[in-house]
Amino acid sequence: MLYYSTNHQSPKATLQDAVVKGLAPDRGLFMPDHINQLPSEFLQTIDQLSFQEIAFRVANAFFGDDMEADTLRNIVYETLSFETPVVKVEPNIFTLELFHGPTMAFKDVGARFMARLLGYFIKKQNQTDVNVLVATSGDTGSAVANGFLDVDGIHVYVLYPKGLVSEIQEKQFTTLGKNITALEIDGTFDDCQRLVKTAFMDDDLNQKLNLTSANSINVARFLPQAFYYFNAFAQLKKIGKADQVVMSVPSGNFGNLTAGLFAKRMGLPIKRFIAANNRNDIFLNYLQTGNYEPRSSVATIANAMDVGDPSNFARIIDLYDASHEAICNDISGYRYTDEQIKDGVRTCYTKTDYLLDPHGACGYLALKEGLKPDETGLFLETAHPAKFKDTIETIIHQSITVPERLQYFMEKEKQNIALSNQYDDLKSCLLRR
Ligand SMILES: *Cc1c(COP(=O)(O)O)cnc(C)c1O
């Protein structure tokens, strides 16, 4: 399978090139040049398969031309050493819990898969010195650092804004050591992102170091997110709830939702999608007006969705040949203020005993607002509420327990390198190491 760029100005790339480079030379996003349908026999018996086996069949449709089945199966099985259960919240509303991985957020799936796939390609090329640069406002850094820990030949640099990530998040990528280096930048998240972009465009640095990125622009992080949409469907089918399914996705950069759109194109019978936003409602605005108007992000309590120019929008446009009408047929949008999110967490907890995190709360609220009586709603719970302990405790006026997996990071020693927000500082730091 070859991968083309959403800007259509670069030649098609192999999977290996698309994964190792991350972004196309014309700065577009890579897209697979065809989408394989899954056999109807697979969808009819999907409820009898394990999550790992479902994921392998889906992975095979994407990557089967480019590697041996046994290698791919190992990568998938190692990636998914945890479950993504479907849990009933209300009579017609279910949630897909995507927080049972090592850092307790859905990004674990893509990050772990990408680490293994990149590790495999690097070994094949006999390379030993690939450097992953990743800017984070919290969750991406922890998933990528934990996903790439101990992968041979790859060093990861996590750039994060000093004092602006939660203590739990910081501990998840500053306590690992080994091939993970945390760079504490005296600046904002935007500074971190600017530094990473400048590094990718610095020819001198790129001649000396092999650099790649690990956010959802990379196909190896983005496509595996389709796996759990199939698994969610399998679980709904098991309980006789697989007709008229509406999936509601808390969205920021739109990688997660776009992976769901791919699942639908591959034949997964999902009726429609909902994009749930916080106050950063650029996508909702596009649905309403047909105009895409990126703007600076505003800070909210669902901070992993504070994105003002979603990078995967280009993939959605490409997937639908820029037809606003076709996009509106498949996706509707809702947006929630911090007050509404807090209210949603509180009401859901009081009424059903189910504790949402601020991101999942947007997905839940969108179903409450947009689900029709004959439909079954499923929202994605993208992170464990304990990752936002302080916020949640103020909302429900109750203390919550932090799972052992998160507690474990809290007890370890933080190590980082402090840098200014000047590019020269970052560059000399990278070249020294
Ligand atoms: C990253 C993240 C999101 C947004 O996902 P996108 O793929 O960027 O749309 C939502 N919730 C949580 C908890 C996240 O970490």
Side-chain angles (χ1 to χ4, degrees):
M1 175 109 68
L2 291 176
Y3 291 79
Y4 66 87
S5 162
T6 51
N7 285 344
H8 303 281
Q9 303 297 314
S10 302
K12 288 185 183 179
T14 61
L15 173 64
Q16 179 160 335
D17 274 353
V19 173
V20 174
K21 297 212 175 90
L23 204 62
D26 63 7
R27 315 213 66 74
L29 276 62
F30 284 117
M31 292 283 275
D33 71 357
H34 55 276
I35 298 177
N36 290 324
Q37 289 286 306
L38 286 161
S40 60
E41 173 271 330
F42 166 70
L43 291 166
Q44 276 153 22
T45 55
I46 193 168
D47 51 330
Q48 291 153 38
L49 302 176
S50 69
F51 180 26
Q52 287 168 322
E53 192 54 30
I54 291 171
F56 167 65
R57 307 277 183 98
V58 178
N60 205 33
F62 286 130
F63 310 120
D65 297 346
D66 297 293
M67 55 203 327
E68 282 179 16
D70 283 349
T71 309
L72 184 58
R73 183 180 255 115
N74 283 340
I75 290 177
V76 171
Y77 274 57
E78 279 177 23
T79 298
L80 301 174
S81 55
F82 52 90
E83 285 296 320
T84 59
V86 166
V87 174
K88 185 173 182 167
V89 177
E90 286 181 23
N92 236 5
I93 296 186
F94 297 80
T95 185
L96 175 66
E97 291 186 344
L98 295 175
F99 55 69
H100 295 280
T103 73
M104 309 204 88
F106 82 95
K107 292 187 175 77
D108 281 330
V109 173
R112 285 164 67 85
F113 185 89
M114 182 187 163
R116 284 166 179 79
L117 195 67
L118 186 60
Y120 164 77
F121 282 136
I122 285 173
K123 211 178 208 166
K124 221 173 122 187
Q125 298 183 166
N126 277 321
Q127 253 180 331
T128 51
D129 51 358
V130 168
N131 295 287
V132 170
L133 291 190
V134 61
T136 186
S137 57
D139 268 357
T140 302
S142 46
V144 169
N146 283 274
F148 281 82
L149 183 65
D150 286 325
V151 177
D152 284 342
I154 305 177
H155 198 101
V156 174
Y157 293 91
V158 178
L159 284 76
Y160 72 103
K162 180 179 176 178
L164 296 177
V165 303
S166 78
E167 195 188 349
I168 288 184
Q169 288 175 324
E170 185 177 20
K171 287 272 183 162
Q172 285 184 312
F173 53 78
T174 56
T175 57
L176 300 166
K178 298 185 183 172
N179 61 329
I180 312 298
T181 303
L183 303 176
E184 183 188 54
I185 306 297
D186 193 358
T188 61
F189 170 63
D190 289 338
D191 288 325
C192 297
Q193 206 152 27
R194 171 182 51 80
L195 290 171
V196 168
K197 279 189 187 149
T198 312
F200 284 128
M201 289 187 299
D202 179 341
D203 291 336
D204 174 52
L205 185 69
N206 280 271
Q207 264 160 24
K208 293 173 180 147
L209 302 175
N210 300 308
L211 297 181
T212 190
S213 108
N215 42 43
S216 61
I217 58 171
N218 197 305
V219 284
R221 218 197 100 187
F222 154 70
L223 288 173
Q225 297 177 147
F227 300 164
Y228 45 71
Y229 286 90
F230 285 87
N231 189 38
F233 175 80
Q235 293 179 69
L236 288 174
K237 187 168 158 64
K238 226 178 246 176
I239 54 171
K241 287 280 187 183
D243 295 325
Q244 309 278 324
V245 176
V246 178
M247 294 204 180
S248 174
V249 187
S251 295
N253 258 327
F254 280 78
N256 207 2
L257 179 83
T258 310
L261 300 174
F262 269 81
K264 186 168 158 75
R265 284 288 170 94
M266 296 169 90
L268 189 68
I270 299 172
K271 187 179 171 195
R272 60 190 183 92
F273 288 90
I274 292 178
N277 280 146
N278 59 26
R279 277 170 56 223
N280 297 280
D281 57 356
I282 296 85
F283 187 77
L284 173 63
N285 189 58
Y286 165 78
L287 293 176
Q288 288 169 342
T289 66
N291 299 320
Y292 181 69
E293 293 160 342
R295 51 177 189 261
S296 305
S297 61
V298 294
T300 77
I301 58 167
N303 65 336
M305 300 173 3
D306 295 350
V307 180
D309 185 6
S311 45
N312 287 287
F313 184 74
R315 284 197 167 113
I316 299 181
I317 288 292
D318 192 88
L319 206 54
Y320 288 89
D321 288 329
S323 164
H324 179 251
E325 191 189 343
I327 292 174
C328 289
N329 279 340
D330 274 0
I331 317 168
S332 48
Y334 295 89
R335 56 92 76 169
Y336 298 99
T337 63
D338 279 0
E339 282 319 307
Q340 290 171 311
I341 294 172
K342 288 179 193 170
D343 225 43
V345 171
R346 201 179 299 119
T347 315
C348 181
Y349 188 55
T350 320
K351 255 181 43 190
T352 71
D353 240 15
Y354 193 86
L355 188 57
L356 299 163
D357 95 292
H359 306 81
C362 295
Y364 167 80
L365 286 168
L367 284 178
K368 294 292 279 182
E369 202 175 335
L371 196 67
K372 300 186 185 107
D374 61 335
E375 294 173 333
T376 295
L378 180 116
F379 66 95
L380 276 52
E381 218 344 334
T382 47
H384 192 284
K387 291 199 87 170
F388 310 92
K389 188 174 191 289
D390 295 345
T391 309
I392 298 297
E393 287 181 343
T394 357
I395 297 174
I396 61 168
H397 303 295
Q398 225 173 292
S399 63
I400 57 175
T401 5
V402 174
E404 236 171 79
R405 203 171 310 164
L406 294 179
Q407 202 61 53
Y408 162 81
F409 291 104
M410 297 302 287
E411 286 150 14
K412 298 207 308 176
E413 191 74 30
K414 167 172 139 181
Q415 312 163 36
N416 62 23
I417 297 174
L419 293 177
S420 75
N421 65 355
Q422 300 300 307
Y423 177 64
D424 287 347
D425 261 10
L426 172 67
K427 185 170 177 177
S428 50
C429 169
L430 294 175
L431 289 174
R432 259 199 317 274
R433 298 178 60 87

